[in-house]
Amino acid sequence: MSAISAPAVEPAILPFGSLEWFKRELAPTPARARRTAIMVAAAVLCVIISMTLQVPELSVTAYMPFFMSKESKFLTTLTGVIGLIGLTIGIGASLLLYKFTYGHPELRIPGMAIALFLGMYVSRIFVLGPLGFLIGFVVAVSQSVGEAVPSPELLVRGLLWLWVAIAYGAGLTVVLNLLFLPDAPGPPAHLPKPKSFFVSDAFTNPAHVHFALKVTFAAMFCYIFYMAIDWSGIHTALITCTFIALESTGATLHKGALRIGGCVIGGALALFTIVFLMPHMDTIASLVVVVACASAIAGWVATGTELISYAGLQIAFAFFYSIFQGYAPDTDLDNVRNRVVGILFGLIVTGLVFRYIWPERTIDRLRAALRAALQQLARLVEIPRPESSIEAAKSEAHGLIAETSKSFEQARRYIELTQFESEESPNGERTSLGNLESTLSRAEDVFGVATSLTSDRAWDDWQKLPPAAKNAESVLREVAAKRIERVATSDIAKDTDADLSTAFDIWNKTVEQLRPQNGRSALVSRIATEAQRLG
């Protein structure tokens, strides 16, 4: 039976318990050190500017360097532009909505729910999903705090100052990254223009609507609950529900675990600062030293892979949110407690909703990603064909290599996230994670060999082959590709093995007549052998 359809399920363990895992995720690199230094410098500058000019929402401003900084200048600038557009539209829409909802909870609560639903739905169906998410999030959160402001004038002023605090923090982050982040090595990757503003299954896949409904239900439940018990200090529960919601249950729980872990570390740093350091801090210089140290810890984690980076963002936000309660030292510990409680509550509610209401299994996405990788690999193995030109073959091969590599990376990510889902699916036909990992590993071996066949030397060797040898090799690779496709569709028949053996024998006899044999022979032989092992 193929690995795509094997029925066993193996219980998994969270990937955070291994010391080797932490060593790998926190390993130092020059790029990581530079990016961390940029984050620290940006956070320190934000604190100095906001404290000097008394710009409100200092905690949000100081957090912007961590939220906006990405691994390249282009991504950082793009994030800044999209963030500014979404923030502006969101605040403008919220101010307009307040004309009808301020002082009218019966209108405000449905307005929040509609904004959340639309934002989450657009985040799934729109090519620029983060833009839709940001608009919906800003509208919902700004509506949730409206009743706490005593007058419309103060409410408008607060929202406009929030725009300033976020905009200048994001702008400063983008400028520092453009100045000090090195250019990416090599020419920039070609980014294909999207054919539509929406994803291919935007209006046919009910999972998009289900996702938006789940997030809206979880967030609104948290909001109504903490307002009903008059504990608005745990409003981070609503934020948690929206920020940790991802494409599958495993991904959501993984992000939730990172959020609470980062919150605990950031809260502990803030608690230590408030209790032991704040009473002795008289100047902004001492505050800058503390901010720089905490930012270095948060930045180092935030510049890791996506398996751990979100925890760094939470360390920064929890720390800044707890210590910046005004423009003077403050020893109030309520913010630390409330934030942790809110995040825990939001995490529990979101986990239960995503676990029991329309669950999207990570292992199902793993199977889909592996299937896509195998189908792309099959197309790559068939290149070149005797009738195609070398230029066309090179272009097609390079494009497929990029696509296949991306699919393999996605599959590896899903394997990590699948470890958060140990339960069996309702139909009892979920694939064994071990079998999927084995298939993925073998497919990556084939991919490595197929990639080697696209080197300049391999192209030259192909051109030197006589027509009979080209035809024999092409037939062998086509049969191997057919077998890889059968693995992808869980439809391996005995005749595929027989066809592969026959084609392999014919190719061997043809190659034996070559004097001398070129370097392609060993690679082609390995492709046939590895393809036989798949499934």
Side-chain angles (χ1 to χ4, degrees), residues 413-432:
R413 173 177 177 267
Y414 285 140
I415 284 178
E416 294 276 359
L417 297 179
T418 302
Q419 299 181 60
F420 287 81
E421 298 176 1
S422 59
E423 74 280 359
E424 295 195 24
S425 64
N427 58 19
E429 294 181 354
R430 291 183 59 189
T431 306
S432 164

Side-chain angles (χ1 to χ4, degrees), residues 312-356:
L313 303 186
Q314 288 308 303
I315 292 173
F317 193 44
F319 178 79
F320 293 138
Y321 186 88
S322 300
I323 67 168
F324 291 133
Q325 305 173 32
Y327 302 110
D330 196 326
T331 57
D332 185 7
L333 300 180
D334 286 348
N335 273 348
V336 181
R337 177 202 63 195
N338 292 344
R339 176 169 175 76
V340 173
V341 171
I343 288 178
L344 277 174
F345 181 55
L347 181 60
I348 292 172
V349 171
T350 305
L352 290 174
V353 170
F354 273 72
R355 169 66 176 81
Y356 292 106

Side-chain angles (χ1 to χ4, degrees), residues 4 247 361-377 403-415 418 436 439-440 443 488:
I4 299 293
E247 72 274 10
R361 312 291 181 185
T362 304
I363 201 163
D364 295 332
R365 289 181 171 267
L366 169 58
R367 291 207 305 267
L370 181 55
R371 186 177 297 113
L374 289 171
Q375 291 170 341
Q376 292 160 352
L377 177 59
E403 292 177 9
T404 310
S405 178
K406 185 177 179 181
S407 296
F408 278 131
E409 289 176 4
Q410 190 67 64
R412 281 292 175 193
R413 173 177 177 267
Y414 285 140
I415 284 178
T418 302
L436 286 172
T439 300
L440 176 60

Side-chain angles (χ1 to χ4, degrees), residues 394-404:
K394 284 183 178 180
S395 177
E396 184 181 3
H398 291 158
L400 278 173
I401 287 173
E403 292 177 9
T404 310

Side-chain angles (χ1 to χ4, degrees), residues 63-90:
Y63 175 65
M64 283 300 103
F66 302 89
F67 184 75
M68 292 292 176
S69 294
K70 305 300 177 185
E71 58 269 19
S72 69
K73 293 181 179 180
F74 172 77
L75 288 178
T76 302
T77 304
L78 181 63
T79 302
V81 172
I82 292 177
L84 185 59
I85 294 173
L87 174 67
T88 303
I89 296 175

